Amino acid sequence: MQYDMKLTLSEVHSLAKRLLLAQGFNERHANAIANTVTAAERDECRHHGLFRIPFYVNAFRAGQASGDAEPTVTKLAPSIIKVDAHHGFSPLALEVADLPLAELAKETGIAAVAINNALSVSALWPEVERLAEKGLVGFAFVAASPYVAPAGGTKPLYGTNPMAFSWPREGHEPLVFDQASSASARGEIQVRLRDGRQLEEGWAVGPDGKPTLDPATALAGAQLPFGGVKGAAIAMMVELLAGPLVGDLLSFEAGEKDVANTGAPCGGELIIAIDPVRCIENGNRAAQLAHGEMLFSKILEQEGTRLPSDRRYQARKRTAVEGVSVPKVLYEQLQEFSTGEFSGKRFAYEGDDLIKGTAEQKG
Amino acid sequence: MQYDMKLTLSEVHSLAKRLLLAQGFNERHANAIANTVTAAERDECRHHGLFRIPFYVNAFRAGQASGDAEPTVTKLAPSIIKVDAHHGFSPLALEVADLPLAELAKETGIAAVAINNALSVSALWPEVERLAEKGLVGFAFVAASPYVAPAGGTKPLYGTNPMAFSWPREGHEPLVFDQASSASARGEIQVRLRDGRQLEEGWAVGPDGKPTLDPATALAGAQLPFGGVKGAAIAMMVELLAGPLVGDLLSFEAGEKDVANTGAPCGGELIIAIDPVRCIENGNRAAQLAHGEMLFSKILEQEGTRLPSDRRYQARKRTAVEGVSVPKVLYEQLQEFSTGEFSGKRFAYEGDDLIKGTAEQKG
């Protein structure tokens, strides 16, 4: 694997935006997706960086994603907002939702946004990190294509169903985690397939329902939730929150609707924001944040520990100076998208060369 | 082990209430705790049933728990309520919080209650089940004494930090889970100590930081989160929500304050309630619940699956007819509490005979 292209973050953004515009995305969508892709490259979460451009393009080309739908905001209740993405990709809907949600949480103490009809192929940490930067606690839940078996079962039903959480810090980037409810990322199984490496125990079962360490068998079977029954309960919760709660699709329904098999399912997302200072009586925000810091200090004073988002923030410092490395094979494939001319070649999202150069997402 | 006392649920309630009144708890606290204890016995969650009476009594006797503090309700923000338990046990505070929280969630779509200064030794499913019975989605988070190591660490810092979730169902008891963030219940380690059985891998490390299968070594060391780094992230989230967010103690602080080592830590709890019908535009509650049922059907059509709360509900049907079995040794020990005369014997909460007859909590 060669990381032989060096790009600055600004070059990543320009490249992503240029390709998306050339494909027909409008300015606002191209910009929002480029922001998301750049943030992922910046934090070295390459699964969600330039590697994702073909996912956006494929779904657009297949007619499943709108490139110009403007998200609409509706207030459903005093503390609930709905943002309908109208079958556009989620980054713009999430940018549109951000400020109204934050303002509402500050007004009422706790608020939620139901995102509907959004194609989601990005990580969740950007939306919760944004909330924490405004001093809020954030939660996000999204369901996706059916890959993961329920507790005790062996057939795919849940998405990898990530949930993200953020906590604001004073003078430090927010505490953030963003984790799939599956034992492993699907991309990690794809990477091991490519590299001819076995899986870890507990990651997957084959189509026969038996545990497997073979990546191809796993991809044809079902992934397993992390942490057994408890992780499966989290996966089920996420499925309910991002689906029926917000009036959107369950993972298996989203999978059925992705008729072109673009790997860019359309569905819902629930984001909750809490203003911590509204949860205490004395209104002492500084003391409240210092209390959180006390926990983080206690964690970090133990050898071998780190906070969930630390690796991302370290990468962020590094890439601001050094730029990012992009695999040459990916860079060249992306040139396919630099004009409106479409070669007709469809970029598969599984087991493809594009997986080259991806790294496990860093929460 | 002999389950040789058979009690009806009404007898369980009378017994619990009588003992608590004899010890000096007032009518309202005795009744609320008896409700909680009876609900646990009814659902065969014996860790939280009559087995817990000594915990309540010990903390009261030690002067750490109030037996007559009336919880006070304050509105902190349009969607946030605070219930201060004033160092009483949580069951009364939770009963007091229930209706105002439910009403607020129905009014604003999403609401939260910050419970403060509550001694908590009960399960979380009763409070979220109550919310779901009113048609709401519920979440509850509580931190406790420090038993669990953070990700990568080996020293106790987090509580077993349960979180609970509920989803309303039409014509069926709510979907509920209530699970510790630790790999195993602490009680299960105590039971294995008593029975001379080894632990499972991944449950605990000893004081030397090395993995151990020995119950005594584990109790002297640290429990581990479920599901590795991801479960540890959940544990950390619960710690932040039940502590700094609501302006209450972190687990290690609560542990330090439990000077009499009663195992009944005083701290906070966060409960969030969402009215699902306020999260959708068309207001079709029946269709929304049917959508949830579609998920449950898809889960249950796979062989080997069950829903998280099914075992409790099966037990509930059974005990309504057959009553519950109470170990004779426990029943006899409880007679110690039947008068205000205190024998002076303190019931330890670890490795005690009282553990006899406990069963793993059924979520």
Side-chain angles (χ1 to χ4, degrees), chain B residues 32 88 111 113 150 156 161 177 198 211 224 246 276 359:
Chain B
V113 62
N161 288 12
F177 70 78
Q198 286 202 323
L224 294 175
V246 299

Side-chain angles (χ1 to χ4, degrees), chain A residues 79 82 107-108 151 154-155 158 177 179-180 182 230 233 244-245 248 253 278-279 281 288 291 299 302 305, chain B residues 76 78-79 82 108 151 154-155 158 177 179-180 182 230 233 244-245 248 253 279 281 288 291 299 302 305:
Chain A
S79 290
K82 168 190 165 108
E107 181 193 324
T108 69
T154 57
K155 302 292 173 200
Y158 305 138
F177 71 76
Q179 60 193 26
S182 49
K230 291 181 181 179
L245 182 71
D248 219 309
E253 297 172 303
R278 304 301 295 274
C279 299
E281 205 158 16
Q288 189 176 33
H291 200 195
I299 293 170
Q302 293 195 32
T305 58
Chain B
L76 297 180
S79 290
K82 169 190 164 109
T108 70
T154 56
K155 302 291 174 200
Y158 304 138
F177 70 78
Q179 59 193 29
S182 50
K230 291 181 181 178
L245 181 72
D248 218 308
E253 297 172 305
C279 298
E281 206 161 15
Q288 189 176 33
H291 201 194
I299 294 170
Q302 293 195 31
T305 58

